[in-house]
């Protein structure tokens, strides 16, 4: 087995048959009575085993001793049994039963070694045997208890068969594969276990070289266990079960170890007899009920009962029920498998994922379902590998395990059907000599043919196509049939669901002289792909059209903007101030923004500076920008105050274009005689002043952005310019960045001015390069106003 073991399917065995409440109550009462009876019998056998181990008496003598002790103590037999199990070694207040004499010594050994020095070991073992329920669990319990005492590494329990062979009924410390190999031993000479049973005396194998020559040793290799002991478990004058203790230690068994093993053999003999008693317990009833159901079920399934050690660890499973189609590696089927161990019937299960899955199902109560895995059968002349899936579902304290075997041909057909379904295609075959036609079921689905309609001959396929595609399809088929030329032709067909886009791919099988005799190929439905392609083409066409419109709008807006907002090629002088203008359009998108400026000389040698930003982009923004620019210039030129002009511009926006447009603006008028700059703003970023190397933003007077409210309040402030002052008026595109607040933008501008704009030599180009290193998402407009040192000195001297 390569991956995991076998067995799987559908674990549902169905609910228990409905029964009237009184019948159920009677059955439960009878079940409780039988359970109590079985428990009492088991306790009696364990107590007898304890007396046999301590005194060496026979089973009947141990039973009489228990009866006598119960009578002397005025106790019931069950109470005396519990007292015996909890009070090892036996009381010394009166002599033992006459029949309870010491066991005879064997192999010339002295029987002088008493039980006092290992009474604690026997007591602990006796208590542990109370929880043992099978020979397999008994072997595990013995290994756990004898390992520290006699250095035992493995324990085997062999039962003598009627034909004088041996059957392995329990083991611990041995690999499942080795246990399966030695599960049944024929009556050959040289078997130490069989000799111990025949003679009734232990066999001590303590000389490895001589033992290998004399006996048939369980292995391989024999060197794994250098010393071994085989002891019969007494049943009166005979013994039918041999206890094997295998050790890696290369040393003889000490007298204490031999005497301890003899006492353990006597103790285990009583426990084994308890296993032979019929037990009317719920587990047996469940197994019988399940077996009755299994007998009528198809498919392979088994009911497994876990076999546990004294600590509760699962070491194997007993097959409690099996369906007629269940089979193991030895060829046993159905009820013949009942009573066998799982690892004996399926040795490759040990340690595999299926084993771990069954343990999880027992612990969690959640059914386990395996992935498909390969399992190798070695029973025939040559190993056969098959693929299985397994399901294990808890039932009571056991597991219902079902499995499904995948035939290679069935799996291949299923894979082909899956490929056709997922690819929405179907294969087809046409024999040109016999006229035989074979279509897959999926081919009819693709072509829209009902299942009861016969498949079409190859030359009739064009009849399914729409008129526009009939000719190309017919010519391609004619070339395939006459000259063997492969075809790959798309065509459309009309169906009740609409037009479907199909594709026919086919090739011919020809004789040696080139005559086509057979055609095979497939038909594929490409409707979904074709619809997606057409939708994509239509979307691309719409996008190109929209892009063209937007680009034309941008070009028109750009030309209009340049016509309305001419940029000076070099700095200009207005009212004694040096003024430099920069306008940088956005790099992202295809729209033109509404940023604008004005720098003109007014009547009376004063200068007007305006910076504004209309919300939005495109033709509407440019038109609004032009309206505001010229209206502001006109109102200020004709004597309107700065705040009055802003109030009228606000009303203008409120009553134009449904009041949906807003704008920010800053107006400034400079008086060259007083060197005073008066300014007002409407929701615009504050100007930045550079004076004697210090950079700061001016405090803004009150003012709401234009078009936001019907009753705004606008205020104005004055700033006296000093020699060498530099003033920056700008739109928000200079300081705004996605995901960043305006305060961070103001800080970045101040730092850039300190680095590139302080002093008379500060360059506006260097400042813009530092601020706008990344892609611009908005237009940027900057007015760089400076008061030269010379002009002020001349004015002071005058």
């Amino acid at each position: 087995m390569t991956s995991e073991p076998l067995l799987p399917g559908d674990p549902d065995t169905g609910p228990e048959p409905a029964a009237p409440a009184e019948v159920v109550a009677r059955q439960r009462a009878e079940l409780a009575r039988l359970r109590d009876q079985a428990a009492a019998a088991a306790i009696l056998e364990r107590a007898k085993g304890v007396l046999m181990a301590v005194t060496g008496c026979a089973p009947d003598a141990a039973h009489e001793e228990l009866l006598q002790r119960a009578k002397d103590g005025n106790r019931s037999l069950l109470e005396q049994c519990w007292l015996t199990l909890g009070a090892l070694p036996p009381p010394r207040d009166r002599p033992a039963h006459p029949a309870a004499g010491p066991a005879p010594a064997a192999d010339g050994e002295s029987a002088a070694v008493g039980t006092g020095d290992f009474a604690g070991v026997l007591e602990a073992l006796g208590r542990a045997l109370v929880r043992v329920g099978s020979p397999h669990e008994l072997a595990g319990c013995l290994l756990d208890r004898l390992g520290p005492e006699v250095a035992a590494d493995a324990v085997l329990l062999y039962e003598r068969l009627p034909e004088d062979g041996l059957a392995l009924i329990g083991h611990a410390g041995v690999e499942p594969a080795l246990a399966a190999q030695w599960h049944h031993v024929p009556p050959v000479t040289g078997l130490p276990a069989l000799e111990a049973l025949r003679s009734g005396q232990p066999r001590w194998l303590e000389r490895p070289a001589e033992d290998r020559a004399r006996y048939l040793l369980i292995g391989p290799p024999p060197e794994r266990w250098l010393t071994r002991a085989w002891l019969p478990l007494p049943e009166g004058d005979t013994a039918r079960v041999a206890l094997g203790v295998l050790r890696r230690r290369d040393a003889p068994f000490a007298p204490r170890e031999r005497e301890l093993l003899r006492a353990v053999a006597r103790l285990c003999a009583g426990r084994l007899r308890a296993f032979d008693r019929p037990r009317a317990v719920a587990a047996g009833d469940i197994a019988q009920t399940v077996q009755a159901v299994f007998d009528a079920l198809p498919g392979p399934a088994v009911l497994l009962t876990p076999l546990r050690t004294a600590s509760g660890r699962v070491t194997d499973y007993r097959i409690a029920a099996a369906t007629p189609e269940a089979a193991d590696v030895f060829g046993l089927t159905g009820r013949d498998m009942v009573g066998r161990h799982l690892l004996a019937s399926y040795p490759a299960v040990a340690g595999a994922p299926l084993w771990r899955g069954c343990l999880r199902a027992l612990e969690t109560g959640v059914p386990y379902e395996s992935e498909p895995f390969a399992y190798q059968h070695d029973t025939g002349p040559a190993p056969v590998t098959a693929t299985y899936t397994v399901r294990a579902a808890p039932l009571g304290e056991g597991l219902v395990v079902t499995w499904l075997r995948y035939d290679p041909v069935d799996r291949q057909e299923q894979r082909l059907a899956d490929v056709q379904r997922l690819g929405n295609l179907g294969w087809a075959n046409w024999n040109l000599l016999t006229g035989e036609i074979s279509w897959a079921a999926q081919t009819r689905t693709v072509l829209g043919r009902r299942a009861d309609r016969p498949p079409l001959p190859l030359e009739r396929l064009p009849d399914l196509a729409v008129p526009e595609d009939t000719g190309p399809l017919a010519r391609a088929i004619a070339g395939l049939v006459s000259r063997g030329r492969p075809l790959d032709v798309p065509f459309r067909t009309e169906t009740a669901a609409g037009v479907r886009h199909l594709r026919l791919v086919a090739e011919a099988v020809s004789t040696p002289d080139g005559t086509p005799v057979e055609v095979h190929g497939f038909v594929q439905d490409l409707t979904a792909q074709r619809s997606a392609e057409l939708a994509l083409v239509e979307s691309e066409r719409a996008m190109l059209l929209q892009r063209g419109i937007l680009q034309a709008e941008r070009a028109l807006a750009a030309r209009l903007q340049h016509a309305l907002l001419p940029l000076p090629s070099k700095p200009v002088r207005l009212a004694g101030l040096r003024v430099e203008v920069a306008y940088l359009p956005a790099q992202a998108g295809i729209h033109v923004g509404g940023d604008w400026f004005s720098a003109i000389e007014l009547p009376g040698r004063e200068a007007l500076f305006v910076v504004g930003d209309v919300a939005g982009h495109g033709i509407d923004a440019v038109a609004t920008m032009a309206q505001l620019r010229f209206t502001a210039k006109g109102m200020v030129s004709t004597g309107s105050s700065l705040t009055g002009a802003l109030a009228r511009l606000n009303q203008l926006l409120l009553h134009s274009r449904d009041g949906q447009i807003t704008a920010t603006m800053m107006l400034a008028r400079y008086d060259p005689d007083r060197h005073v700059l008066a300014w007002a703003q409407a929701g615009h970023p504050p100007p930045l002043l550079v004076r004697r190397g210090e950079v700061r933003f001016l405090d803004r007077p009150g003012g709401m952005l234009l078009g936001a409210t019907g009753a705004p309040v606008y205020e104005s402030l004055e700033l006296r310019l000093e020699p060498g002052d530099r003033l920056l008026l700008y739109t928000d595109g200079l300081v705004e960045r996605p995901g960043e607040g305006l305060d961070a933008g103001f800080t970045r501008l101040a730092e850039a001015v300190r680095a590139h704009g302080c002093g008379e030599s500060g360059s506006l180009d260097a400042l813009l390069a530092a601020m706008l290193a990344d892609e611009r998402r908005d237009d940027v407009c900057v007015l760089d106003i400076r008061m030269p040192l010379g002009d002020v000195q001349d004015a002071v001297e005058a």
Side-chain angles (χ1 to χ4, degrees):
M1 177 179 231
T2 58
S3 175
E4 16 181 9
L6 44 38
L7 313 53
D10 185 53
D12 296 334
T13 59
E16 294 183 2
E22 58 271 22
V23 175
V24 174
R26 287 199 304 270
Q27 289 180 343
R28 287 179 177 173
E30 179 65 11
L31 181 61
R33 185 187 67 80
L34 294 174
R35 185 184 296 110
D36 293 340
Q37 179 180 343
I43 294 171
L44 174 60
E45 290 299 328
R46 292 166 192 159
K48 289 167 58 178
V50 169
L51 285 183
M52 293 170 59
V54 174
T55 65
C57 65
D60 294 338
H63 186 75
E64 293 296 328
E65 174 69 6
L66 287 173
L67 291 175
Q68 185 63 41
R69 291 186 182 187
K71 181 179 179 181
D72 294 343
N74 194 22
R75 291 183 289 269
S76 68
L77 179 60
L78 185 60
E79 290 174 341
Q80 183 61 46
C81 290
W82 281 116
L83 183 63
T84 302
L85 291 174
L88 286 174
R92 303 176 182 272
D93 55 349
R94 70 180 180 85
H97 192 277
D107 300 339
E109 285 190 28
S110 172
V113 180
T115 63
D117 59 340
F118 50 75
V121 179
L122 292 178
E123 179 180 0
L125 179 59
R127 294 182 184 276
L129 291 181
V130 174
R131 296 185 297 272
V132 171
S134 68
H136 199 74
E137 293 183 18
L138 175 60
C141 179
L142 291 177
L143 181 60
D144 292 341
R145 302 293 175 175
L146 296 180
E149 299 297 330
V150 299
D153 296 301
V155 171
L156 302 177
L157 291 173
Y158 271 104
E159 182 179 20
R160 190 173 183 178
L161 300 176
E163 62 273 15
D164 214 20
L166 294 177
L168 183 63
I169 61 173
H171 63 83
V174 177
E175 295 85 354
L178 183 61
Q181 180 182 355
W182 290 85
H183 183 265
H184 182 272
V185 182
V188 298
T189 58
L191 285 174
L194 191 56
E195 291 188 4
L197 290 175
R198 288 171 176 171
S199 64
Q201 299 296 329
R203 288 293 182 265
W204 310 97
L205 281 63
E206 301 169 324
R207 299 178 178 85
E210 297 179 8
D211 295 337
R212 284 195 298 272
R214 179 180 178 185
Y215 294 107
L216 176 61
L217 301 181
I218 292 177
E223 296 81 4
R224 179 177 181 181
W225 295 298
L226 298 177
T227 54
R228 313 172 187 221
W230 292 95
L231 300 95
L233 274 58
E235 293 186 23
D237 298 333
T238 61
R240 64 182 179 88
V241 177
L243 166 64
V245 178
L246 285 61
R247 310 192 306 178
R248 294 187 176 91
R249 176 187 294 180
D250 186 10
F253 288 87
R256 177 187 178 279
E257 294 174 337
R258 294 193 178 195
E259 189 62 26
L260 174 60
L261 290 177
R262 289 192 183 94
V264 168
R266 293 191 294 270
L267 182 61
C268 293
R271 189 69 191 97
L272 283 175
R273 281 192 297 275
F275 297 153
D276 294 337
R277 289 181 176 268
R279 295 182 297 169
V281 295
D285 292 344
I286 291 177
Q288 294 176 9
T289 303
V290 172
Q291 183 61 63
V293 175
F294 275 11
D295 288 341
L297 287 180
V302 294
L303 173 65
L304 300 180
T305 302
L307 303 178
R308 304 178 182 270
T309 63
S311 61
R313 180 173 59 90
V314 176
T315 58
D316 203 345
Y317 296 87
R318 178 181 175 273
I319 300 176
T323 60
E325 294 185 22
D328 66 5
V329 297
F330 300 104
L332 298 178
T333 59
R335 287 177 174 264
D336 294 337
M337 299 171 58
V338 175
R340 296 180 60 84
H341 292 173
L342 177 67
L343 295 181
S345 297
Y346 309 99
V349 171
L354 176 59
W355 179 269
R356 297 190 292 270
C358 290
L359 290 179
R360 286 197 303 271
L362 278 178
E363 294 171 357
T364 64
V366 178
Y368 163 75
E369 295 187 14
S370 75
E371 297 293 334
F373 62 89
Y375 184 88
Q376 188 176 61
H377 300 268
D378 298 323
T379 55
V384 177
T385 301
T387 302
Y388 293 87
T389 54
V390 180
R391 190 175 194 274
L395 178 65
E397 296 183 356
L399 290 173
V400 173
V401 180
T402 57
W403 61 98
L404 177 64
R405 175 172 176 169
Y406 294 95
D407 185 78
V409 176
D410 295 339
R411 294 194 65 201
Q412 192 69 19
E413 292 181 355
Q414 183 61 42
R415 289 171 180 169
L416 179 59
D418 291 341
V419 168
Q420 294 182 93
R421 176 178 52 83
L422 294 174
N424 206 3
L425 56 85
W427 61 265
N429 189 83
W430 292 271
N431 191 311
L432 303 181
L433 298 181
T434 64
E436 181 183 0
I437 306 173
S438 298
W439 280 8
Q442 188 68 18
T443 305
R444 300 175 184 273
T445 302
V446 171
L447 292 174
R449 301 277 293 180
R450 297 201 311 266
D452 59 347
R453 299 291 299 277
L456 289 176
L458 188 58
E459 60 274 10
R460 291 275 311 282
L461 279 183
D463 297 344
L464 301 177
V466 299
E468 296 85 350
D469 296 339
T470 300
L473 181 58
R475 288 191 294 272
I477 293 176
L480 172 67
V481 173
S482 60
R483 295 184 293 277
R485 186 167 56 195
L487 63 83
D488 186 344
V489 181
F491 66 98
R492 291 165 294 172
T493 181
E494 288 280 358
T495 66
V499 177
R500 300 172 70 179
H501 295 263
L502 307 181
R503 173 194 181 198
L504 175 63
V505 179
E507 63 180 6
V509 177
S510 303
T511 60
D513 62 358
T515 302
V517 295
E518 187 176 351
V519 172
H520 54 257
F522 66 86
V523 182
Q524 186 175 17
D525 188 349
L526 301 178
T527 303
Q529 295 91 318
R530 185 58 178 164
S531 299
E533 291 173 359
L534 293 176
L536 180 60
V537 169
E538 186 63 28
S539 176
E540 290 177 348
R541 182 183 297 112
M543 289 177 60
L544 290 174
L545 178 61
Q546 184 66 21
R547 185 177 184 85
I549 295 174
L550 294 176
Q551 287 178 340
E553 180 182 339
R554 175 184 173 86
L556 176 61
R559 287 196 298 270
L560 179 60
Q561 186 182 52
H562 290 318
L564 298 175
L565 197 66
L567 291 175
S569 59
K570 59 182 179 179
V572 298
R573 296 182 68 87
L574 293 175
L577 300 178
R578 178 183 181 274
V579 181
E580 187 175 359
V581 181
Y583 180 84
L584 301 174
Q587 293 176 333
I590 63 174
H591 294 296
V592 176
D595 290 21
W596 54 280
F597 71 93
S598 285
I600 62 173
E601 189 168 310
L602 300 174
R605 295 182 58 246
E606 291 184 333
L608 175 64
F609 302 105
V610 185
V611 174
D613 184 4
V614 177
H617 298 82
I619 296 295
D620 291 341
V622 173
T624 303
M625 174 268 291
Q627 187 179 28
L628 291 176
R629 182 171 184 266
F630 290 115
T631 304
K633 288 170 58 177
M635 285 190 295
V636 176
S637 298
T638 56
S640 294
S641 65
L642 300 180
T643 56
L646 288 176
R648 290 181 176 85
L649 292 174
N650 180 72
Q651 292 297 322
L652 177 65
L653 286 186
L654 285 176
H655 293 88
S656 64
R657 305 182 189 279
D658 299 327
Q660 299 298 318
I661 297 180
T662 59
T664 67
M665 182 184 297
M666 195 194 77
L667 292 173
R669 177 165 27 202
Y670 176 67
D671 183 355
D673 295 331
R674 298 189 302 125
H675 306 294
V676 173
L677 182 77
W679 67 289
Q681 63 87 31
H684 203 79
L688 183 142
L689 175 65
V690 181
R691 175 173 290 174
R692 294 188 293 275
E694 180 184 355
V695 179
R696 67 183 180 89
F697 292 93
L698 300 182
D699 294 333
R700 296 192 306 170
M704 181 69 68
L705 79 162
L706 303 177
T709 179
V713 177
Y714 295 105
E715 301 174 351
S716 64
L717 292 175
E718 290 186 348
L719 171 69
R720 182 176 180 83
L721 296 181
E722 298 181 2
D725 280 356
R726 182 181 185 185
L727 192 66
L728 291 180
L729 311 181
Y730 53 90
T731 58
D732 56 6
L734 184 65
V735 293
E736 284 185 343
R737 293 290 181 275
E740 180 182 78
L742 277 178
D743 290 341
F746 291 149
T747 301
R748 187 172 61 255
L749 175 59
E751 293 176 351
V753 170
R754 291 188 186 96
H756 303 283
C758 291
E760 199 170 359
S761 62
S763 170
L764 179 59
D765 292 338
L767 174 63
L768 295 177
M771 286 294 295
L772 306 175
D774 299 330
E775 180 182 12
R776 296 186 301 279
R777 296 178 178 269
D778 198 1
D779 295 351
V780 175
C781 182
V782 180
L783 283 181
D784 186 0
I785 305 171
R786 308 190 193 197
M787 175 177 281
L789 292 172
D791 291 352
V792 177
Q793 291 174 354
D794 294 342
V796 171
E797 292 175 357

